[in-house]
Amino acid sequence: MIARALAWLLLTFSGKEERTMLVRLYAGEIIMGKITEDNVPTKLKARVHQYLVDMGYFEEEA
């Protein structure tokens, strides 16, 4: 709950670098198996998924 609130605050008041950092953070947590894509904030889901596809962890959907 606190993590979601912090992510929301960072997304609301942050710039491009902070958003990129959050995408990498969430992707790393998914890779380590600590969270799933369902736990990623809605505003970041598409970016996190694309990052994981680019890194070769998921296949690109047709």
Side-chain angles (χ1 to χ4, degrees):
M1 180 84 171
I2 294 172
R4 281 189 182 259
L6 180 60
W8 180 82
L9 282 171
L10 285 172
L11 285 172
T12 303
F13 298 108
S14 67
K16 185 177 180 181
E17 287 183 22
E18 288 84 2
R19 289 178 191 219
T20 302
M21 182 177 64
L22 281 174
V23 167
R24 290 179 180 167
L25 175 71
Y26 278 109
E29 295 291 311
I30 291 169
I31 291 167
M32 289 188 292
K34 293 186 178 184
I35 64 171
T36 64
E37 280 191 279
D38 295 333
N39 300 108
V40 177
T42 306
K43 290 183 177 181
L44 288 176
K45 278 187 182 186
R47 291 179 185 176
V48 170
H49 183 79
Q50 187 59 48
Y51 182 80
L52 290 168
V53 168
D54 292 345
M55 297 302 291
Y57 287 97
F58 292 126
E59 294 293 321
E60 183 112 34
E61 296 177 5

